[in-house]
């Protein structure tokens, strides 16, 4: 299978990833979902390499605990299918363009992680063998068992589905114990905390309440899929240094969405 960079040896567990974790965590395998906009930093478009590197360090810090990590990254920093459709582009074409944007973001994150010594595989729902692997569930599971970070790209491979739904789908297929949704706020609020000083953050909230109140944690399809399979969604701030690792270790501020 062609690689995006010279292949690394299969002795990754002997190359510094087998050390006993210094911090215990209740999770063995998790899904991290972040938006494409999270990669553009203060820019209005595209990739901001220092921001990509910062997020990669957050992922590495959790990986160093021994946690198996899947990732799904949106493509809104490059192209968003719904916006293209709203401007007159045919919806299916616009969605496929958005899927290609997620592949670009996944490759950028892979490059950042591997520069830090974290073995990473990008797996695309749309076959493109020259740049990444096609999605084969058992192969993806094997990568996780070998302590590689797995980044799922190109959504579900189908138009009309968001990357939120793709993240929930892959989390179920990989038997992840939780979905971590990294955002710009430290949880789910009853209203926008940037506009309302009296906004109240929930410590926990049910799937049904999220849907009934239209809280925008994830799209309705993703929430329904998580509810049907009883996969908790943990919403936290990706901008807080060490936040991802802290929550895995039982600290930090977040909202848990569950049954």
């Amino acid at each position: 299978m062609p690689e995006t960079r010279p292949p690394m040896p299969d002795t990754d567990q002997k190359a510094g990833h087998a050390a006993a974790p210094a911090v215990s965590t209740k999770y063995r395998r998790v899904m991290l979902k972040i938006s494409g906009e999270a990669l553009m930093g203060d820019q209005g478009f595209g990739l901001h390499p220092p921001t990509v590197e910062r997020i990669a360090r957050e992922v590495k810090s959790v990986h160093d605990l021994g946690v198996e990590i899947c990732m799904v990254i949106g493509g809104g920093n490059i192209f968003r299918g719904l916006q293209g459709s709203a401007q007159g582009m045919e919806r299916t074409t616009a969605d496929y363009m958005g899927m290609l944007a997620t592949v670009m973001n996944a490759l950028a994150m892979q490059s950042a992680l591997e520069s830090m010594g974290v073995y990473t595989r990008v797996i695309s729902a749309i076959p493109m063998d020259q740049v990444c692997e096609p999605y084969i569930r058992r192969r993806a599971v094997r990568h996780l068992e070998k302590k590689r970070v797995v980044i799922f790209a190109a959504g579900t491979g189908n138009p009309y589905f968001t990357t939120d739904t793709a993240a929930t789908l892959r989390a179920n297929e990989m038997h992840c114990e939780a979905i971590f949704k990294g955002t710009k706020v430290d949880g789910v609020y009853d209203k926008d905390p940037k506009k309302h000083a009296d906004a109240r953050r929930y410590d926990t909230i049910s799937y049904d309440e999220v849907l009934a109140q239209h809280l925008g944690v994830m799209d309705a399809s993703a929430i329904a899929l998580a509810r049907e399979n009883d996969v908790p969604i943990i919403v936290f701030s990706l901008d807080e240094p060490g936040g991802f690792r802290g929550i895995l270790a039982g600290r930090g501020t977040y909202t848990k969405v569950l049954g």
Side-chain angles (χ1 to χ4, degrees):
M1 180 68 62
E3 299 267 345
T4 58
R5 56 183 293 164
M8 294 184 177
D10 251 347
T11 57
D12 37 317
Q13 294 188 25
K14 299 180 181 179
H17 296 303
V23 180
S24 62
T25 171
K26 62 179 289 188
Y27 298 105
R28 182 183 62 87
R29 179 179 296 170
V30 301
M31 165 65 72
L32 174 63
K33 168 61 171 68
I34 61 177
S35 67
E37 288 89 341
L39 303 185
M40 66 186 185
D42 294 331
Q43 302 175 156
F45 177 83
L47 289 159
H48 184 236
T51 299
V52 176
E53 182 180 341
R54 177 182 63 79
I55 295 173
R57 283 196 300 268
E58 294 282 329
V59 174
K60 181 181 185 301
S61 71
V62 171
H63 182 263
D64 288 345
L65 297 177
V67 178
E68 297 172 4
I69 303 174
C70 311
M71 293 183 69
V72 169
I73 306 172
N77 57 318
I78 299 171
F79 188 88
R80 184 177 292 278
L82 279 174
Q83 291 179 351
S85 177
Q87 295 172 11
M89 185 177 293
E90 197 270 326
R91 173 65 187 271
T92 301
T93 299
D95 279 355
Y96 277 121
M97 292 173 67
M99 292 180 216
L100 296 178
T102 71
V103 177
M104 296 171 68
N105 285 338
L107 293 174
M109 183 59 65
Q110 179 188 43
S111 178
L113 285 166
E114 291 198 333
S115 72
M116 300 174 187
V118 179
Y119 293 82
T120 307
R121 294 293 183 269
V122 173
I123 297 181
S124 172
I126 299 175
M128 46 187 79
D129 294 348
Q130 279 74 15
V131 295
C132 52
E133 297 181 12
Y135 177 69
I136 300 172
R137 190 186 69 84
R138 288 182 178 270
R139 179 183 291 174
V141 170
R142 185 59 179 149
H143 285 321
L144 290 169
E145 292 172 345
K146 290 185 175 183
K147 306 304 179 186
R148 297 166 180 159
V149 171
V150 175
I151 306 175
F152 295 107
T156 66
N158 301 288
Y160 296 94
F161 290 94
T162 67
T163 51
D164 281 344
T165 301
T168 309
L169 172 65
R170 299 299 184 224
N172 281 296
E173 290 179 308
M174 296 298 107
H175 301 294
C176 291
E177 295 160 348
I179 300 169
F180 283 76
K181 176 71 181 287
T183 68
K184 292 187 176 295
V185 293
D186 58 356
V188 180
Y189 287 78
D190 59 352
K191 47 192 167 184
D192 190 340
K194 294 182 179 179
K195 297 179 180 178
H196 304 276
D198 61 341
R200 182 172 65 90
R201 184 181 61 80
Y202 298 98
D203 290 326
T204 61
I205 189 170
S206 72
Y207 305 111
D208 290 337
E209 288 174 315
V210 168
L211 292 172
Q213 298 179 40
H214 304 285
L215 293 177
V217 176
M218 286 182 161
D219 66 78
S221 297
I223 295 293
L225 185 58
R227 179 184 60 189
E228 289 169 12
N229 294 276
D230 198 25
V231 180
I233 302 168
I234 297 171
V235 183
F236 71 104
S237 173
L238 198 63
D239 292 336
E240 180 181 345
F244 188 24
R245 179 186 172 99
I247 294 170
L248 265 292
R251 304 186 303 271
T253 303
Y254 57 90
T255 297
K256 180 178 283 190
V257 183
L258 69 175

